[in-house]
Amino acid sequence: MAPERLKAPRGTFDVLPADGERRRSLRTAAERLLGGAGYAAFESPVFEDTALFARGVGESTDIVSKEMFTFEDQGGRSLTLRPEGTAGACRAYIEHGMHKRPAPVKLSYWGPFFRHETPQAGRYRQFAQVGAEALGSDDPSLDAELVLLLAELLEQAGVAQLRLRLSSLGDAPTRAAYGEELRAHLRAREHELSDEVRARIDQNPLRAFDSDHPGTRAVMADAPLLVDRLGEADAEHFATVRALLDDAGLAYDLDPTLVRGLDYYTRTVFEFESAALGAQRGVGGGGRYDGLVAQLGGPPTPGVGWAAGIERILLAAAAAGGDEQPEAEPTVYVAVAKPEAARRAFGLARALRLGVDARVELEQAGRSLKGQLKHADRVGARAVVIVGETIEVKDMRSGEQRSARDEHELMRLVMGP
Ligand code: HAM
């Protein structure tokens, strides 16, 4: 009996070559953009002590209470596959004394993250994020710079129908006082609310802003807004962020009802949505987290950053017709005219790979010469090097064929005029 075939676990996926190339070109664009603004490449482990996320992301969030892949290692320690990257970046900042470096410390990352969510289009249990964090300064220009970098990345990636929601949460005491004020407002008109909102007044009064229920909407129309309750410094900080975005000509919706699924945010919060995506419309988001490093045992350190989902970026770009393959690199194909020439062809392919700025492919599947030329055409080769008694270079556009006496001449012919 044939052995049972196994499949990738629910909510995970394989990245096959066409998608792999799109991801690679997105990663290259992100690295260029973020590197150009001083965000150095950063990596942290894929698993961390469970306590990091419990303390960093917040026990009451969906992420920590329901969605973490947590396991015990052989030594009985509780570890968790990282559901997000900010807590790990702050842990590393503290662990390596990065506060001694000139501020701001700018980090960027790309890698896998894990959340035990119900899988659907754009929502997976393993997904990839690109992210950027700036630690050690509360300068509002960092908030604006980061928002603009994400806008630029999404635009370069071809994400369609984008909307930027922007708000400020102020500091923790402001938020707590506001929560009480909002609860009081909801309780005073409890009979007008939907059952669902009424049941969640204590846990999550902000949810009421998202309701479609007519009675609830009427109550929310004159609910107090957190942005109107900001302290002077927080209000000024937010005004500067907005002014910088205005100067840059980036449109945004001020949305006092924006709630993010992580507890660490203070001051600026933002989220980019793409209407091309359906239910999972959040492509990327973030904000300021001025209390997080201290909360994790480090020195008081402000921070701000964002993360964006790679799969959602590519889905939203595809919806806008942006899923054609990135332009292929110029390709040179090394063909083997007869079996005795295979060894020489192997050496020449290696020399070409080191010497020319092109992708070099070698015949490695035992095709006939005719089959090889057809294959070279299929992979879009610009030139074919035919290795037999002699070395011939065939220009695939003109059809012209020339002999190379040695490796040096081969390089010259392959690179063209
Ligand atoms: P987040 O909003 O939880 O923020 O996630 C950022 C992005 O990751 C989302 O906008 C979405 O594109 C993608 N994403 C999240 N969950 C999934 C999933 N299950 N499947 C596919 N994509 C998903 C954070 O993670 C914060 N660490 C962002 C941040 C950085 N804030 C400050 N610094």
Side-chain angles (χ1 to χ4, degrees), residues 13 63 67 83-87 109 113-118 120 122-133 260-262 264-265 270-272 277 280-289 303-313:
F13 53 87
I63 294 180
E67 297 170 1
E84 63 97 50
T86 312
Y109 50 89
F113 293 86
F114 307 84
R115 296 183 192 176
H116 196 280
E117 299 193 77
T118 310
Q120 64 179 85
R123 190 164 73 192
Y124 313 101
R125 292 184 174 172
Q126 175 174 340
F127 54 98
Q129 281 186 350
V130 55
E133 316 283 352
R260 305 248 323 123
L262 307 102
Y264 47 62
Y265 291 113
F270 59 93
E271 198 158 277
F272 284 87
L277 280 181
Q280 302 306 318
R281 53 186 49 218
V283 233
R288 196 161 261 294
Y289 45 89
V304 55
W306 54 254
I310 302 311
E311 294 77 24
R312 290 194 196 169
I313 292 179

Side-chain angles (χ1 to χ4, degrees), residues 356-368:
V356 303
D357 190 17
R359 176 182 7 222
V360 179
E361 293 196 19
L362 171 67
E363 168 56 27
Q364 290 171 308
R367 272 176 277 257
S368 69

Side-chain angles (χ1 to χ4, degrees), residues 87-108:
C90 291
R91 196 254 321 123
Y93 179 88
I94 300 167
E95 188 170 335
H96 303 287
M98 287 196 247
H99 60 278
K100 293 188 206 109
R101 300 188 188 195
V105 171
K106 292 178 162 185
L107 308 173
S108 64

Side-chain angles (χ1 to χ4, degrees), residues 107-412:
L107 308 173
S108 64
Y109 50 89
W110 172 293
F113 293 86
F114 307 84
R115 296 183 192 176
H116 196 280
E117 299 193 77
T118 310
Q120 64 179 85
R123 190 164 73 192
Y124 313 101
R125 292 184 174 172
Q126 175 174 340
F127 54 98
Q129 281 186 350
V130 55
E133 316 283 352
L135 289 137
S137 165
D138 66 358
D139 194 308
S141 72
L142 286 167
D143 309 42
E145 169 180 287
L146 280 157
V147 171
L148 289 164
L149 284 167
L150 180 51
E152 181 61 33
L153 179 64
L154 296 175
E155 190 183 323
Q156 281 184 20
V159 176
Q161 303 176 60
L162 267 183
R163 170 181 175 225
L164 167 59
R165 298 164 70 202
L166 179 71
S167 189
S168 175
L169 302 178
D171 57 11
T174 307
R175 223 162 39 248
Y178 169 75
E180 277 319 307
E181 188 184 353
L182 183 60
R183 283 188 191 95
H185 176 81
L186 292 171
R187 282 199 199 97
R189 295 170 64 178
E190 211 168 308
H191 58 284
E192 297 174 56
L193 301 173
S194 71
D195 293 346
E196 202 193 331
V197 169
R198 195 178 316 121
R200 295 186 66 104
I201 294 181
D202 284 325
Q203 289 148 298
N204 194 349
L206 283 171
R207 276 274 164 87
F209 282 109
D210 292 334
S211 176
D212 293 331
H213 177 260
T216 307
R217 289 179 69 102
V219 175
M220 297 322 283
D222 35 51
L225 295 176
L226 179 50
V227 275
D228 300 327
R229 299 291 182 271
L230 298 182
E232 205 179 316
D234 292 343
E236 201 179 303
H237 187 275
F238 192 41
T240 308
V241 174
R242 285 184 331 233
L244 291 171
L245 296 180
D246 292 339
D247 288 351
L250 183 70
Y252 52 83
D253 291 336
L254 278 185
D255 187 348
T257 69
L258 174 60
V259 255
R260 305 248 323 123
L262 307 102
D263 275 353
Y264 47 62
Y265 291 113
T266 54
R267 293 189 159 177
T268 315
V269 281
F270 59 93
E271 198 158 277
F272 284 87
E273 294 178 347
S274 168
L277 280 181
Q280 302 306 318
R281 53 186 49 218
V283 233
R288 196 161 261 294
Y289 45 89
D290 291 344
L292 182 55
V293 172
Q295 201 178 307
L296 295 173
T301 306
V304 55
W306 54 254
I310 302 311
E311 294 77 24
R312 290 194 196 169
I313 292 179
L314 294 173
L315 277 172
D323 57 345
E324 70 279 355
Q325 279 293 293
E327 204 169 316
E329 258 185 284
T331 300
V332 175
Y333 197 83
V334 180
V336 184
K338 52 180 193 169
E340 302 84 310
R343 189 167 170 186
R344 183 152 194 221
F346 184 87
L348 287 174
R350 179 163 183 271
L352 282 164
R353 282 175 186 156
L354 295 172
V356 303
D357 190 17
R359 176 182 7 222
V360 179
E361 293 196 19
L362 171 67
E363 168 56 27
Q364 290 171 308
R367 272 176 277 257
S368 69
L369 185 57
K370 196 169 153 215
Q372 293 180 53
L373 289 171
K374 221 156 127 193
H375 185 63
D377 201 39
R378 200 162 41 219
V379 301
R382 199 180 56 183
V384 180
V385 178
I386 304 166
V387 188
E389 297 287 335
T390 58
I391 308 170
E392 305 291 323
V393 180
K394 182 174 167 138
D395 182 319
M396 293 295 272
R397 275 165 302 189
S398 65
E400 194 188 344
Q401 192 161 315
R402 295 170 72 176
S403 304
R405 269 164 316 204
D406 53 27
E407 228 174 73
H408 185 71
E409 199 175 9
L410 173 64
M411 300 283 172
R412 205 165 45 73

